[in-house]
Amino acid sequence: GMKNPVFRKIVGTYHYEIPTTNKQDARPYITNSNKLISTYNNKYKYENAIGIKTGYTSVAKNCLVGGAAKDGIELISVVLAVEGESMYPDTIALFDYGFANFKKLELLKQNKVVTTVEIENGDRKLNLLSSEDYSLVVSPDEIDEIEKTKNIKINDSIKAPVKKGDVIGTVSYTVDGKEQKIINLVAEEDVKSTRIIDITLEFLKKVAWWQILIVVILLFLIWRTIVTINRTKRRRRAMYLTKRRYF
């Protein structure tokens, strides 16, 4: 829900005016029932609130799904079966507790080096970059433990040549024994192969067919010239020896 920008805007809007149409005048009376985001009544207004929705039935009583954002952390609370308006102070208490006891831990930054590896047949070591930003909301005493759970896996089948941006492996973290989101690790730069066949193929990719043809023709002409010179030398030597025999 809150990942949808339209939904997010709607639940975070306290007052909305329906514009004038060809059928009726503007109607400035649509108001959100969520007092956390009120612009008129500050009794339950919460500075960091971003929504979300109130609800009521005779069986469920007053309910509130609340949302708040602060210092890069977004929290969602759920309060059910409340008499009166105590759902608001209860929700605010939950938010205050969450912001006071949990922090956003930035684990990865997009395009920043995560590790360096050797590539089979490669002409250099290769830095691997995170393909995206990644963070977790954790309690302060969990920070050191989570950073120790970093798990980097390199694709064993990767060999040079490698192109910049190729996926070389993955990185992930574990929370409460469960592996979280798996992030791709990508090559920072091209890595050329040191194998003769790969070097030759790479060279041929850069050379146009007509350039190869010219080189072949030149080599042929040089070969023919050398052969012709050697034949001429042999004929002259044979003629010289024949003359000496008669004199």
Side-chain angles (χ1 to χ4, degrees):
M2 292 300 281
K3 292 182 179 180
N4 184 312
V6 176
F7 178 85
R8 189 182 184 92
K9 182 178 180 181
I10 291 172
V11 300
T13 301
Y14 183 69
H15 179 80
Y16 183 75
E17 178 178 323
I18 298 177
T20 301
T21 69
N22 61 344
K23 297 294 184 180
Q24 60 184 22
D25 295 335
R27 290 171 288 168
Y29 53 79
I30 295 182
T31 303
N32 196 322
S33 59
N34 182 4
K35 294 181 180 179
L36 291 176
I37 60 173
S38 172
T39 55
Y40 301 110
N41 184 347
N42 292 328
K43 183 178 180 180
Y44 297 120
K45 180 177 175 59
Y46 190 70
E47 181 181 0
N48 301 302
I50 55 175
I52 299 175
K53 185 69 179 72
T54 59
Y56 174 83
T57 68
S58 59
V59 176
K61 306 299 182 183
N62 285 316
C63 305
L64 174 62
V65 177
K70 180 182 178 182
D71 298 331
I73 298 176
E74 288 194 5
L75 301 177
I76 292 178
S77 65
V78 178
V79 176
L80 305 174
V82 170
E83 298 286 352
E85 294 187 327
S86 63
M87 58 194 181
Y88 292 112
D90 289 348
T91 297
I92 291 171
L94 287 172
F95 286 153
D96 288 343
Y97 176 85
F99 289 129
N101 291 277
F102 293 89
K103 303 296 180 184
K104 185 177 183 180
L105 177 60
E106 299 281 358
L107 293 167
L108 301 170
K109 293 293 290 182
Q110 187 176 26
N111 295 328
K112 295 297 182 182
V113 177
V114 176
T115 189
T116 302
V117 296
E118 296 273 4
I119 299 295
E120 186 176 347
N121 301 324
D123 64 346
R124 71 193 70 187
K125 291 184 177 181
L126 177 64
N127 288 332
L128 302 185
L129 313 179
S130 173
S131 60
E132 58 185 277
D133 294 341
Y134 182 64
S135 61
L136 289 171
V137 175
V138 298
S139 60
D141 59 351
E142 291 179 305
I143 292 176
D144 290 340
E145 291 304 315
I146 289 175
E147 290 180 332
K148 291 177 183 178
T149 69
K150 180 191 290 185
N151 183 24
I152 295 174
K153 295 180 180 179
I154 305 301
N155 189 339
D156 293 335
S157 65
I158 295 295
K159 298 179 182 180
V162 169
K163 294 296 183 182
K164 178 180 179 180
D166 283 353
V167 176
I168 306 300
T170 62
V171 58
S172 63
Y173 293 85
T174 301
V175 179
D176 296 331
K178 295 182 180 180
E179 185 179 45
Q180 305 300 298
K181 184 177 181 181
I182 297 175
I183 310 297
N184 285 335
L185 296 175
V186 299
E188 182 182 40
E189 59 183 342
D190 293 349
V191 175
K192 296 179 180 179
S193 174
T194 56
R195 296 196 309 169
I196 297 300
I197 186 171
D198 291 328
I199 294 173
T200 303
L201 290 173
E202 188 66 24
F203 172 76
L204 292 175
K205 288 179 183 178
K206 298 177 180 179
V207 179
W209 66 270
W210 59 267
Q211 293 175 314
I212 297 175
L213 181 60
I214 289 175
V215 171
V216 171
I217 293 172
L218 287 174
L219 290 174
F220 176 76
L221 291 175
I222 292 172
W223 175 76
R224 288 296 301 168
T225 300
I226 293 172
V227 170
T228 300
I229 292 173
N230 287 336
R231 285 178 178 175
T232 302
K233 286 181 178 180
R234 285 197 295 270
R235 287 173 182 171
R236 287 178 179 177
R237 182 174 178 79
M239 291 175 62
Y240 173 75
L241 292 175
T242 300
K243 288 180 180 179
R244 287 189 59 183
R245 208 177 289 145
Y246 286 106
F247 289 98

